[in-house]
Amino acid sequence: MSENSSINPLEQSMKKIQYADYDNWITNFALNLDDIWNENSSKDLSQHHSNQNNIAIVIGKGPSIDEKNHLQILANSNFTGSIVCCDGKLIDTLKCGVTPDKFPNFYVVNIDPGSHTAKLFDHPLVSKFGSKIKGIFTTISNNNTVKQARQSGIQIHWMHSLFDYNDGKKSFNYISSIIVRSKKHGNGLPAIQTGGNVGTSCWFVSWKILKCTKVVLLGMNHGWNEDTPIETITKHGVDFATSYGVDTPEFQRLFPKIYNPDLQKYCILDPIFQYYRGAILEFILRSPLDIETINATEGGSIFGKRVKSMPFENFLQEYT
Amino acid sequence: MFVCINIVLKTNFKKIKSDSYTDEVTKEFKPELTPEEFEEYVVNSGAKGSFMIYRSKNKDEELGLDEL
């Protein structure tokens, strides 16, 4: 076992926190089951891969995407590859003119068991373009969210999210996979590593399911700009959260400032971004060598081995 | 344990001042926070949109499975 892939204390903690919601995951699966049997596997989406569609742009909701007008730049580009949008940025993306009419290989990803994501699919623009958007949902995605997406016309494609398959035949991942296969999807569904968040899931979907060999990251900051208000940073941008004081001894451990040599500037992490960042950098490093990850976010903390950073406009000039 | 100083923060600090940091990380970064600190922060923030990272004895599985 490599040092990078051993379970670290933060991952153990997140596992404990997330398992408090375990009963809801099972409920979600049960409520989704008829639809999983009747609808498509996300594996079917690999048929859209071609030499002309070998690049995926992942759209996250980090602040740089708005600060750098990346969606407007993308809307005005001649990009011919895939758009892999995280659920939380779908409405903004459509508002900016990045639509399936212009980019036919348009996907939206949801991995969230919570019901709070239903509203992300409830908007006139989602209804307008929904029938041309391919949705990729996990078998434990919230049933109300999936219903809303379906109601907006989105074609649902299913996958599993891995969390306990390592526990063998008693694992929910194993049991649910057998239940799914019992009626349809005889070979099963793709199962992804989420990396803990939908942005990293989009990166996995891009190369594991859509088979793209170049994955471009937009809005994947996983860190805060230096000039972000402290309350936003210390509350992870969540209004109801409690803030932390800069003078407390633990402050610099919780909110370290790190130097991004690709951008030649600092950014600030919070504990959740420390968790997300460590995961995606590890998995980029462990991905097959023919997978190239280009970070065009122009902000944040994603840099390191096998991450090629470049301004988004330079990417478009070079690759389109 | 953390001390909540919302009122002070709202009145005196809008942004993190450059002199708040004595330890800017310019090399490879490794988290130093404790599991307890992490859990408190995650629970406090509601952890919306978060999920766990999958680990396995079979390391290849950690990158996902084509069919399950």
Side-chain angles (χ1 to χ4, degrees):
Chain A
M1 183 181 290
S2 69
E3 186 180 334
N4 272 345
S5 59
S6 59
I7 300 180
N8 71 39
L10 302 192
E11 292 179 24
Q12 290 282 23
S13 293
M14 184 60 98
K15 188 174 180 180
K16 186 171 83 176
I17 294 165
Q18 297 300 325
Y19 257 100
D21 202 32
Y22 180 69
D23 291 2
N24 286 332
W25 305 350
I26 299 173
T27 302
N28 289 342
F29 174 75
L31 293 173
N32 289 331
L33 187 55
D34 275 340
D35 295 318
I36 295 169
W37 278 332
N38 289 324
E39 293 173 329
N40 297 317
S41 166
S42 60
K43 186 178 179 67
D44 299 346
L45 298 171
S46 64
Q47 66 183 297
H48 300 292
H49 177 260
S50 68
N51 289 338
Q52 289 73 42
N53 181 25
N54 190 38
I55 304 176
I57 293 179
V58 167
I59 296 178
K61 62 174 191 175
S64 291
I65 200 163
D66 296 329
E67 292 163 3
K68 304 289 182 182
N69 294 315
H70 282 158
L71 291 173
Q72 290 83 353
I73 293 168
L74 176 58
N76 293 322
S77 75
N78 295 316
F79 179 67
T80 59
S82 294
I83 304 295
V84 184
C85 187
C86 76
D87 50 4
K89 201 61 180 175
L90 176 61
I91 295 170
D92 285 347
T93 299
L94 296 172
K95 279 181 183 173
C96 288
V98 179
T99 70
D101 280 349
K102 183 166 176 63
F103 304 98
N105 296 298
F106 191 113
Y107 307 90
V108 63
V109 176
N110 170 277
I111 64 161
D112 205 311
S115 60
H116 60 282
T117 52
K119 63 181 182 292
L120 305 177
F121 297 93
D122 185 9
H123 189 276
L125 280 175
V126 182
S127 297
K128 179 179 178 183
F129 293 106
S131 64
K132 298 172 184 172
I133 297 172
K134 292 172 264 299
I136 303 176
F137 290 77
T138 73
T139 54
I140 61 167
S141 287
N142 186 271
N143 183 251
N144 288 328
T145 299
V146 188
K147 270 185 189 168
Q148 179 59 57
R150 194 180 293 112
Q151 192 174 316
S152 296
I154 291 175
Q155 309 153 40
I156 311 297
H157 298 76
W158 295 98
M159 63 179 178
H160 296 290
S161 51
L162 290 168
F163 58 90
D164 68 350
Y165 188 54
N166 192 44
D167 294 338
K169 289 196 171 188
K170 291 182 178 176
S171 69
F172 184 74
N173 276 150
Y174 179 82
I175 293 168
S176 59
S177 76
I178 298 302
I179 293 171
V180 168
R181 291 178 192 212
S182 67
K183 192 168 178 181
K184 201 189 166 188
H185 309 299
N187 293 323
L189 300 172
I192 68 155
Q193 163 73 267
T194 68
N197 64 91
V198 68
T200 304
S201 298
C202 289
W203 177 80
F204 271 109
V205 162
S206 296
W207 66 270
K208 284 293 286 187
I209 293 179
L210 303 180
K211 306 300 180 188
C212 294
T213 59
K214 283 189 175 58
V215 186
V216 183
L217 307 179
L218 291 180
M220 286 278 282
N221 291 67
H222 287 353
W224 301 98
N225 295 335
E226 276 191 285
D227 60 357
T228 304
I230 184 173
E231 282 190 321
T232 303
I233 295 173
T234 61
K235 295 163 76 170
H236 194 62
V238 177
D239 290 341
F240 62 76
T242 306
S243 191
Y244 292 86
V246 294
D247 297 327
T248 53
E250 65 273 16
F251 184 82
Q252 290 190 40
R253 282 203 314 278
L254 266 65
F255 307 101
K257 183 191 284 191
I258 68 171
Y259 183 70
N260 183 331
D262 293 342
L263 303 175
Q264 299 186 329
K265 61 181 184 184
Y266 286 92
C267 73
I268 297 168
L269 303 179
D270 66 28
I272 293 175
F273 284 143
Q274 291 184 52
Y275 169 79
Y276 291 166
R277 175 181 187 268
I280 191 167
L281 288 176
E282 176 198 328
F283 293 125
I284 288 172
L285 188 58
R286 291 173 58 194
S287 62
L289 293 175
D290 62 336
I291 306 301
E292 185 178 11
T293 300
I294 297 170
N295 187 3
T297 297
E298 299 181 62
S301 70
I302 307 303
F303 61 87
K305 291 174 185 171
R306 297 196 53 204
V307 179
K308 184 176 182 179
S309 292
M310 65 169 66
F312 186 46
E313 289 193 287
N314 290 10
F315 159 76
L316 290 171
Q317 284 172 10
E318 195 171 325
Y319 290 92
T320 61
Chain B
M1 295 298 290
F2 300 115
V3 178
C4 174
I5 52 169
N6 267 344
I7 297 171
V8 174
L9 287 169
K10 283 179 182 172
T11 53
N12 291 341
F13 298 99
K14 289 298 180 191
K15 295 176 182 176
I16 293 177
K17 295 176 180 177
S18 59
D19 60 3
S20 296
Y21 282 90
T22 57
D23 188 20
E24 295 172 343
V25 180
T26 56
K27 296 181 180 175
E28 188 173 349
F29 170 74
K30 289 184 180 174
E32 294 179 353
L33 72 171
T34 68
E36 292 76 20
E37 290 168 340
F38 179 70
E39 282 181 42
E40 182 172 336
Y41 185 84
V42 172
V43 171
N44 180 38
S45 68
K48 297 287 187 191
S50 290
F51 202 66
M52 65 182 66
I53 295 166
Y54 175 63
R55 295 298 181 187
S56 172
K57 292 170 190 165
N58 180 347
K59 295 293 109 184
D60 289 342
E61 263 179 20
E62 292 181 359
L63 298 180
L65 300 166
D66 290 337
E67 292 172 337
L68 175 63

